[in-house]
Amino acid sequence: MTHYKELGLVNSKELFQKAVKGGYAIPAFNFNNLEQLQAIIGACVETKSPVLLQVSSGARKYANQTLLKYLAKGAVDYAKELGYAIPIVLHLDHGDTLELCKSCVESGFSSVMIDGSHHPYDKNVEVTCQVVEYAHKHDVSVEGELGVLAGIEDEVSSAVTHYTKPEEVEDFVKKTGVDSLAISIGTSHGANKFKPEQCTRTAEGILVPPPLRFDILEEVEKRIPGFPIVLHGASSVPPELVRIINTNGGKLKDAVGIPEEQLRRAAASAVCKINIDSDGRLAMTAAIRKAFMDNPAEFDPRKYLGPARDQLKELYKHKIVSVLGSANRA
Ligand code: G3H
Ligand code: 13P
Ligand code: ZN
């Protein structure tokens, strides 16, 4: 067993309390390789933002659990070396079983999500309670989820959104003892969050999605005042990145995300953690495709991964400063 404190990590409890009070959200950026980690830490140190390094079970398989543990420890030291010791949480994204959550706690994670949202309510409560009981013994934070986002996350997918029922949240939080709650108010995973027929189109042909259900968020906040809320599926899918990908050989069709001004509004409420993965994937892919097209004779991976890392860092800084409001909160 490696406890997260041995790695220099922190859990999310205090960070979330401060974020709810301060009206900002902490970034939860997914990573599974070195360049993504360098970009995340570089951006968060430069902006003095706390951060959750988020790892899905697929990412854990991809990167290897032992390497991940030392990468997280390395991230803590790297931040200090860059000049500012930001608080870093290592978080399991969309854990689906007690066994997986336990295994992550034992390998140094300081926070886990148990996503029982696809189960019937009582089963969701049961599995979430088991994870909370184990995780809290080790001072590890737990995120639960109520309501189902449309889209794909690891092996679980849903064609349609099932909005969170506000009348369930108080009972769920009380019974399970979770530290934060992910809710479904119209965000969704991936780069194609909405079907074109759900959107309107601007004169330039850009798809505009239906607005988030702030009425549900407000109702949830009324029932559990001050409780930390999490938004998944919060990438904005910047049209400029999609354009760069498609003009450099890519084929992304009808990609559409959540407008940034809606995320800013959410971040000012009890939403204290915002998950962003797809925008990072788009930024890296855009830079790599462009580097390949501009320099077809280049075959040193540093020559295309380097620009991808730089683009990623800029994207994260933009999110922190202009969307989440977490700059200078570390
Ligand atoms: O919510 C899902 C995250 O974007 C992680 O995706 O399971 O492909 O690593 P992944
Ligand atoms: P996006 O696909 O919108 O980036 O969402 C990521 C996420 O919710 C990870 O849990
Ligand atoms: Zn998610």
Side-chain angles (χ1 to χ4, degrees):
M1 162 102 192
T2 303
H3 193 266
Y4 68 85
K5 286 181 187 159
E6 294 168 42
L7 306 177
L9 301 165
V10 296
N11 70 22
S12 63
K13 279 184 199 164
E14 202 183 312
L15 298 182
F16 284 175
Q17 294 309 332
K18 280 190 195 162
V20 172
K21 281 202 194 100
Y24 60 94
I26 299 171
F29 295 136
N30 289 69
F31 88 105
N32 47 60
N33 68 38
L34 180 67
E35 283 74 14
Q36 290 171 318
L37 186 61
Q38 289 173 316
I40 295 170
I41 300 301
C44 291
V45 168
E46 276 182 32
T47 55
K48 295 195 168 69
S49 170
V51 69
L52 283 95
L53 294 174
Q54 194 157 257
V55 178
S56 69
S57 63
R60 194 166 181 249
K61 277 184 214 135
Y62 176 85
N64 178 272
Q65 56 177 15
T66 307
L67 283 174
L68 272 177
K69 177 164 76 182
Y70 292 108
L71 281 172
K73 184 178 186 316
V76 172
D77 293 347
Y78 179 49
K80 285 184 200 150
E81 189 184 311
L82 291 178
Y84 202 81
I86 52 168
I88 300 177
V89 177
L90 181 62
H91 174 77
L92 169 67
D93 193 22
H94 295 287
D96 56 351
T97 61
L98 172 63
E99 290 67 36
L100 174 61
C101 293
K102 272 186 174 174
S103 166
C104 286
V105 169
E106 283 161 13
S107 64
F109 281 62
S110 56
S111 173
V112 291
M113 174 188 192
I114 174 68
D115 181 358
S117 60
H118 49 284
H119 291 308
Y121 181 79
D122 289 338
K123 175 77 185 163
N124 188 359
V125 169
E126 185 188 323
V127 65
T128 305
C129 277
Q130 291 167 346
V131 171
V132 169
E133 193 190 350
Y134 179 79
H136 280 184
K137 276 189 207 145
H138 301 279
D139 209 17
V140 167
S141 320
V142 180
E143 174 184 326
E145 178 162 346
L146 272 179
V148 183
L149 276 64
I152 302 169
E153 60 213 33
D154 271 334
E155 277 96 44
V156 182
S157 76
S158 170
V160 289
T161 300
H162 298 276
Y163 294 111
T164 301
K165 297 179 186 149
E167 61 274 20
E168 286 180 350
V169 296
E170 203 179 343
D171 183 67
F172 186 82
V173 161
K174 225 184 250 166
K175 279 191 179 142
T176 59
V178 283
D179 303 289
S180 60
L181 181 68
I183 62 168
S184 172
I185 58 167
T187 60
S188 127
H189 291 103
N192 292 77
K193 297 188 186 299
F194 303 94
K195 295 192 182 73
E197 55 270 27
Q198 293 175 283
C199 304
T200 51
R201 236 178 238 278
T202 65
E204 298 77 40
I206 293 172
L207 291 170
V208 180
L212 295 181
R213 292 286 306 271
F214 282 98
D215 57 321
I216 297 178
L217 175 59
E218 279 159 23
E219 196 53 43
V220 166
E221 284 188 81
K222 260 189 224 154
R223 289 169 193 255
I224 44 174
F227 192 81
I229 301 297
V230 176
L231 272 196
H232 283 246
S235 279
S236 295
V237 189
E240 178 56 13
L241 292 178
V242 175
R243 191 195 64 75
I244 295 171
I245 291 172
N246 286 342
T247 52
N248 287 281
K251 278 197 179 126
L252 289 181
K253 206 172 170 297
D254 297 328
V256 60
I258 312 296
E260 289 188 340
E261 61 276 12
Q262 294 193 33
L263 297 168
R264 266 199 297 275
R265 181 174 163 193
S269 73
V271 170
C272 67
K273 169 179 180 269
I274 290 192
N275 288 10
I276 297 170
D277 187 2
S278 297
D279 281 355
R281 296 177 181 195
L282 292 169
M284 281 197 97
T285 302
I288 291 170
R289 279 197 174 277
K290 187 163 183 320
F292 281 155
M293 293 298 262
D294 291 351
N295 303 296
E298 189 55 70
F299 65 97
D300 177 347
R302 291 171 297 186
K303 296 286 170 22
Y304 50 87
L305 292 178
R309 181 180 61 190
D310 296 345
Q311 181 131 353
L312 198 50
K313 184 173 153 192
E314 287 313 305
L315 175 100
Y316 291 144
K317 281 168 63 177
H318 166 74
K319 298 284 178 189
I320 289 166
V321 173
S322 306
V323 185
L324 310 182
S326 63
N328 298 313
R329 307 287 191 164

